[in-house]
C-alpha cells in the first residue's frame, strides 16, 4: 500500500464552466464518489480548497518574502506538497508561511479549507460524510 | 492497448472490485466456491479482451456480466445431467433483464461482510483463512500472497483450492451469520486481519516491501469491515494497528537494524496514524461495554504514542492495562510484558520478582524473551555477572539475526 494524493487541478476555463453546472448534482456525484472511497477503505483524508482568487502567494524570489493576492503561477505548474495548519486567521497563516525555511525562488500558496459546515446540511451525502468524519476524528 | 497495459488495468480494477464481484456472484448463484471460480474465469477473459478492445467504460460491470454469463453456461452444462441445475439455469436466464440490480448498494455491504465471514470460517485452517481472505476480499493474486508469505505459488493455490472444497463439503451458506453466531465469528475475522498485519509488520527477510504492503492491506480490510460492521472491537483492532504502524518509520536504522523503543526517534512516528488510532480507540471505548483484547493492547500502544520519552511514559497505567489484558487473555508473554512495565513503574527489583515467578512455573522455557528481559533487569540492578549470563542465554536462544545482534551488543557493553 502506498499513499497517493489526488490533486484536483483547475484552470480558469474549468472554473468558469463550473458556474453552469447544477450545484446539487455536482455535490451528489462527488459525495457518492467519496462514499465509495470510504467503503473501499482507501480514504485517509480529503479536503477541497477554496477558490484560488481567495488565496495568497508568498514569493521568495527577492531578498524578502513578497505577499501577493490571488492564485499561483500557471495551471501547468506542479505542487510539491501541502501543509494543513489550524490557525485563527489568514494573516496568521501568512506569518507561518513567511517563517518556513524555503530556498529562494519557491512560493507558498495559502488557501482556506472550507469546513463541512459550509455545505448544505440537508444533503444526504454530506450527512454520511459527517458521520464518517465523526467516526475518524476529523471534525 | 498493449498486453502489459491491459494487465495493469485488469489488476487495478480487480483489487478494487473483486470483493463486490465475487460477493454479487455468490449471492446470484448461492454457491461461494463456484462464484470464486467464475470470477477468476471472468478475470482471465478480461486479460485477453481488454488488451484487444481496451478497458471498458464500466470495468466492474463488465467483469460481473462475464461472470454471470459463465454461471449460466455452467448451469446449462450441468443441466444435461441434473434437473436441479436445469431449473437454476432457466431461473437465472429469466432473471437476466434485472441482473444489474446485483450492484444494488444496499446489498453490496452484506455481500462483502458475508465474504469476510466465509473466508474466515472456523472450518478452515488458519493459513487457509488468511490466503482466502487476501485473495477474495483483498483481491491479491496467488503470486502476491505467495511472495508475501515466502512460500511457493503452488502452495497458496493448493491452500485456496482445498479451502473452497472444505467450504463446499461443509455446505457453508453464503450469508452473514445469525446474530447469536456473529460475535464469535467476528472474532475469527478480526484475528485473521491481525495475523495479516503482524505478518506484514515483522519483516524477517525476503521481499520486504510487499510485507509492509501486507500490514497496509490489513488496515484497509479493517476499514472496510468497520464500515459494514461498526462493532467496538473492530475499532479496537483498527486502533491497535494504526498505533503500531505509527512507529514503523522509526523502528529500523539507516542500515536496516531494529531500533528499540527507548532509542526510537519519536519525531519520526506517523502523527496522522496516531491521530487515526486514537480516534478509533475513543470509539471503541465509547461503547460502554469495556475494551476487548485489541482495545486494551491499543490503549497500551496509545500510552507510548502520547509520551515524549520512555521516562515520561505512564507506566503505572500500562501495568494496569496489562493486568486487565492478562485476565482477558492469559498468556506468559503478557505476564512478561507486565513485568517490564512494573520494572519501569516501580523499579527493576519488583519486575525481576515477576520474571522469576514466570521462570519458576517453567513457562517460556526455550524462548529468548525471558532471559533477555531478565538480563535487562539484572543490568539495571547492577548485577553485571548475572546479567551477562542471562543475556548470553538469550543470544543462544534467539532465532532472528537482527535481534540477536542487539542482544549481543548488550552483552558487549557489560564486558
Amino acid at each position: 500500500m502506498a499513499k497517493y494524493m489526488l490533486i484536483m487541478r483547475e484552470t480558469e476555463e474549468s472554473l468558469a464552466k463550473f458556474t453552469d453546472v447544477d450545484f446539487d448534482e455536482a455535490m451528489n456525484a462527488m459525495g457518492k464518489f467519496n462514499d465509495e472511497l470510504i467503503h473501499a477503505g482507501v480514504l485517509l483524508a480529503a479536503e477541497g480548497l477554496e477558490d484560488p482568487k481567495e488565496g495568497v502567494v508568498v514569493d521568495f524570489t527577492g531578498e524578502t518574502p513578497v505577499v501577493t493576492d490571488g492564485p499561483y503561477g500557471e495551471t501547468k505548474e506542479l505542487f510539491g506538497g501541502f501543509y494543513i495548519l489550524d490557525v485563527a486567521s489568514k494573516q496568521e497563516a501568512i506569518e507561518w508561511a513567511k517563517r518556513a525555511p524555503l530556498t529562494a525562488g519557491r512560493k507558498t500558496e495559502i488557501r482556506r479549507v472550507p469546513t463541512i459546515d459550509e455545505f448544505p446540511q440537508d444533503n444526504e451525502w454530506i450527512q454520511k460524510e459527517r458521520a464518517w468524519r465523526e467516526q475518524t476524528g476529523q471534525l | 492497448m498493449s498486453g502489459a497495459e491491459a494487465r495493469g488495468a485488469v489488476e487495478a480494477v480487480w483489487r478494487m472490485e473483486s470483493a463486490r464481484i465475487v460477493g454479487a456472484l455468490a449471492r446470484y448463484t448461492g454457491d461461494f466456491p463456484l462464484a470464486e471460480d467464475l470470477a477468476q474465469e471472468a478475470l482471465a477473459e478480461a486479460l485477453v479482451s481488454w488488451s484487444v478492445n481496451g478497458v471498458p467504460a464500466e470495468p466492474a460491470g463488465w467483469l460481473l456480466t462475464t461472470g454471470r454469463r459463465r454461471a449460466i453456461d455452467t448451469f446449462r452444462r450441468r443441466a444435461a445431467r441434473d434437473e436441479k441445475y436445469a431449473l437454476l439455469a432457466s431461473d437465472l436466464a429469466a432473471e437476466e433483464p434485472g441482473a444489474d440490480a446485483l450492484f444494488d448498494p444496499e446489498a453490496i455491504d452484506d455481500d462483502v461482510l458475508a465474504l469476510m465471514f466465509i473466508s474466515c470460517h472456523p472450518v478452515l485452517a488458519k493459513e487457509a483463512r488468511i490466503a482466502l481472505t487476501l485473495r477474495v476480499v483483498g483481491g491479491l493474486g496467488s503470486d502476491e500472497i505467495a511472495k508475501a508469505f515466502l512460500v511457493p505459488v503452488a502452495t497458496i493455490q493448493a491452500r485456496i483450492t482445498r479451502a473452497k472444497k472444505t467450504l463446499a463439503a461443509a455446505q457453508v451458506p453464503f450469508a452473514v451469520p445469525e446474530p447469536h453466531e456473529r460475535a464469535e465469528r467476528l472474532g475469527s475475522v478480526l484475528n485473521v486481519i491481525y495475523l495479516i498485519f503482524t505478518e506484514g509488520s515483522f519483516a524477517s527477510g525476503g521481499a520486504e516491501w510487499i510485507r509492509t504492503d501486507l500490514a497496509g492491506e490489513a488496515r484497509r480490510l479493517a476499514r472496510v469491515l468497520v464500515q459494514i460492521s461498526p462493532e467496538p472491537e473492530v475499532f479496537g483492532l483498527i486502533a491497535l494497528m494504526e498505533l503500531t504502524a505509527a512507529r514503523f518509520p522509526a523502528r529500523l536504522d539507516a542500515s536496516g537494524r531494529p531500533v528499540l523503543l527507548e532509542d526510537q526517534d519519536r519525531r519520526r512516528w506517523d502523527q496522522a496514524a496516531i491521530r487515526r488510532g486514537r480516534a478509533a480507540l475513543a470509539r471503541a471505548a465509547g461503547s460502554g461495554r469495556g475494551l476487548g483484547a485489541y482495545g486494551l493492547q491499543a490503549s497500551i500502544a496509545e500510552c507510548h504514542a502520547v509520551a515524549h520519552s520512555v521516562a515520561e511514559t505512564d507506566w503505572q497505567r500500562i501495568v494496569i492495562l496489562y493486568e486487565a489484558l492478562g485476565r482477558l487473555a492469559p498468556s506468559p508473554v503478557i505476564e512478561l510484558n507486565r513485568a517490564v512495565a512494573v520494572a519501569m513503574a516501580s523499579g527493576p527489583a519488583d519486575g525481576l520478582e515477576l520474571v522469576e515467578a514466570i521462570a519458576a512455573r517453567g513457562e517460556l522455557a526455550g524462548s529468548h524473551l525471558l532471559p533477555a528481559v531478565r538480563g535487562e533487569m539484572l543490568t539495571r540492578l547492577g548485577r553485571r555477572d548475572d546479567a551477562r549470563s542471562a543475556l548470553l542465554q538469550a543470544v543462544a536462544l534467539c532465532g532472528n539475526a537482527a535481534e540477536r545482534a542487539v542482544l549481543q551488543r548488550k552483552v558487549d557493553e557489560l564486558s
Side-chain angles (χ1 to χ4, degrees):
Chain A
M1 309 281 277
K3 288 176 196 165
Y4 287 92
M5 183 191 282
L6 269 62
I7 303 172
M8 310 307 204
R9 297 300 301 251
E10 291 285 356
T11 60
E12 287 292 324
E13 293 82 33
S14 76
L15 280 174
K17 269 185 200 149
F18 191 70
T19 51
D20 305 333
V21 174
D22 183 292
F23 184 69
D24 288 341
E25 224 170 85
M27 283 280 307
N28 287 340
M30 191 53 80
K32 217 167 161 178
F33 174 66
N34 293 350
D35 196 51
E36 287 221 17
L37 294 174
I38 293 166
H39 266 76
V42 296
L43 190 64
L44 292 184
E47 303 293 356
L49 298 179
E50 209 190 25
D51 193 321
K53 288 193 199 75
E54 301 298 317
V56 169
V57 176
V58 181
D59 188 340
F60 286 75
T61 308
E63 277 174 23
T64 52
V66 173
V67 180
T68 53
D69 288 331
Y72 165 67
E74 299 294 323
T75 46
K76 281 177 194 149
E77 293 184 39
L78 292 169
F79 278 108
F82 75 99
Y83 289 91
I84 293 184
L85 301 183
D86 189 14
V87 292
S89 64
K90 190 195 274 187
Q91 195 54 44
E92 194 182 335
I94 293 171
E95 287 310 314
W96 278 114
K98 285 208 278 199
R99 288 185 210 176
L102 297 186
T103 45
R106 297 180 68 185
K107 292 174 184 177
T108 303
E109 184 172 2
I110 299 168
R111 303 267 297 277
R112 190 169 68 88
V113 181
T115 69
I116 193 166
D117 297 329
E118 294 173 53
F119 291 93
Q121 299 303 302
D122 54 359
N123 180 291
E124 67 164 312
W125 298 106
I126 289 294
Q127 286 161 11
K128 278 194 174 187
E129 189 187 334
R130 177 178 283 279
W132 169 72
R133 282 182 190 272
E134 269 163 6
Q135 267 179 31
T136 50
Q138 296 195 57
L139 275 185
Chain B
M1 183 178 241
S2 76
E5 272 176 273
R7 198 183 164 79
V10 172
E11 276 170 8
V13 170
W14 185 250
R15 278 303 293 273
M16 291 158 69
E17 305 286 0
S18 62
R20 305 204 304 188
I21 291 164
V22 178
L25 287 172
R27 183 156 40 83
Y28 186 55
T29 60
D31 184 339
F32 165 75
L34 174 66
E36 221 274 327
D37 289 342
L38 294 169
Q40 291 294 327
E41 285 175 29
L43 180 65
E45 203 171 314
L47 281 169
V48 177
S49 164
W50 296 10
S51 62
V52 178
N53 306 316
V55 179
E58 292 204 33
W62 189 99
L63 285 164
L64 184 62
T65 307
T66 307
R68 256 179 42 230
R69 247 188 248 125
R70 296 271 182 153
I72 294 167
D73 290 348
T74 306
F75 286 133
R76 284 204 179 119
R77 226 170 24 244
R78 293 180 184 179
R81 50 171 208 258
D82 192 325
E83 223 163 287
K84 186 182 83 184
Y85 288 119
L87 268 174
L88 268 173
S90 62
D91 280 0
L92 291 183
E95 245 182 75
E96 193 126 15
D100 286 345
L102 283 174
F103 265 146
D104 168 12
E106 302 296 320
I108 286 169
D109 282 358
D110 282 350
D111 284 351
V112 176
L113 192 57
L115 270 192
M116 284 191 162
F117 277 117
I118 287 178
S119 53
C120 300
H121 198 283
V123 296
L124 302 173
K126 192 179 77 182
E127 288 77 15
R129 291 185 208 177
I130 291 172
L132 205 56
T133 302
L134 285 172
R135 156 90 156 249
V136 176
V137 191
L140 267 69
S142 298
D143 49 342
E144 288 174 285
I145 303 171
K147 238 188 266 174
F149 286 91
L150 309 174
V151 296
V153 177
T155 307
I156 293 297
Q157 282 167 342
R159 261 179 215 169
I160 288 169
T161 308
R162 215 177 313 128
K164 284 194 284 185
K165 278 190 188 147
T166 308
L167 288 171
Q171 294 187 311
V172 172
F174 179 76
V176 176
E178 297 292 318
H180 66 274
E181 248 190 300
R182 205 165 145 167
E184 190 190 325
R185 294 273 299 278
L186 186 66
S188 169
V189 176
L190 294 176
N191 185 241
V192 166
I193 294 176
Y194 191 53
L195 285 170
I196 294 170
F197 179 79
T198 49
E199 186 63 35
S201 39
F202 300 106
S204 51
E208 195 182 314
W209 62 272
I210 205 163
R211 306 187 121 215
T212 321
D213 248 28
L214 214 50
E217 178 61 19
R219 275 179 289 163
R220 187 185 75 81
L221 289 174
R223 285 198 291 266
V224 171
L225 181 60
V226 84
Q227 285 298 320
I228 50 191
S229 182
E231 297 290 326
E233 196 58 346
V234 185
F235 283 104
L237 178 62
I238 289 179
L240 174 58
M241 294 194 295
E242 289 286 5
L243 290 163
T244 306
R247 290 187 223 159
F248 284 2
R251 67 184 177 151
L252 292 178
D253 67 13
S255 40
R257 281 178 309 211
V259 182
L260 298 174
L261 178 66
E262 65 210 62
D263 302 323
Q264 286 180 7
D265 180 355
R266 290 175 186 231
R267 286 168 305 180
R268 294 178 64 191
W269 286 359
D270 181 345
Q271 290 303 319
I274 290 175
R275 214 162 41 236
R276 288 194 298 273
R278 297 190 74 192
L281 186 55
R283 285 275 296 194
S287 74
R289 280 189 262 159
L291 291 171
Y294 297 118
L296 286 170
Q297 290 176 78
S299 302
I300 293 165
E302 186 189 39
C303 288
H304 294 299
V306 299
H308 294 294
S309 66
V310 169
E312 286 170 75
T313 306
D314 189 348
W315 290 103
Q316 207 64 58
R317 181 170 152 76
I318 293 179
V319 170
I320 293 166
L321 288 165
Y322 270 123
E323 264 161 20
L325 191 58
R327 273 198 292 275
L328 208 62
S331 105
V333 173
I334 291 170
E335 269 299 290
L336 191 63
N337 283 329
R338 185 168 78 92
V340 173
V342 166
M344 298 304 293
S346 35
D350 290 348
L352 187 61
E353 205 175 303
L354 291 169
V355 174
E356 302 298 10
I358 299 168
R361 288 198 296 271
E363 290 166 338
L364 290 178
S367 160
H368 69 284
L369 291 172
L370 193 126
V373 169
R374 201 163 162 265
E376 188 69 43
M377 288 173 183
L378 288 164
T379 306
R380 284 182 56 196
L381 285 167
R383 291 166 56 184
R384 295 171 69 94
D385 289 344
D386 293 338
R388 206 163 166 274
S389 63
L391 286 170
L392 277 172
Q393 196 189 346
V395 170
L397 288 169
C398 184
N400 181 300
E403 228 180 317
R404 201 162 50 232
V406 173
L407 290 165
Q408 186 61 51
R409 258 207 311 277
K410 288 186 178 177
V411 174
D412 297 343
E413 279 163 17
L414 283 168
S415 301

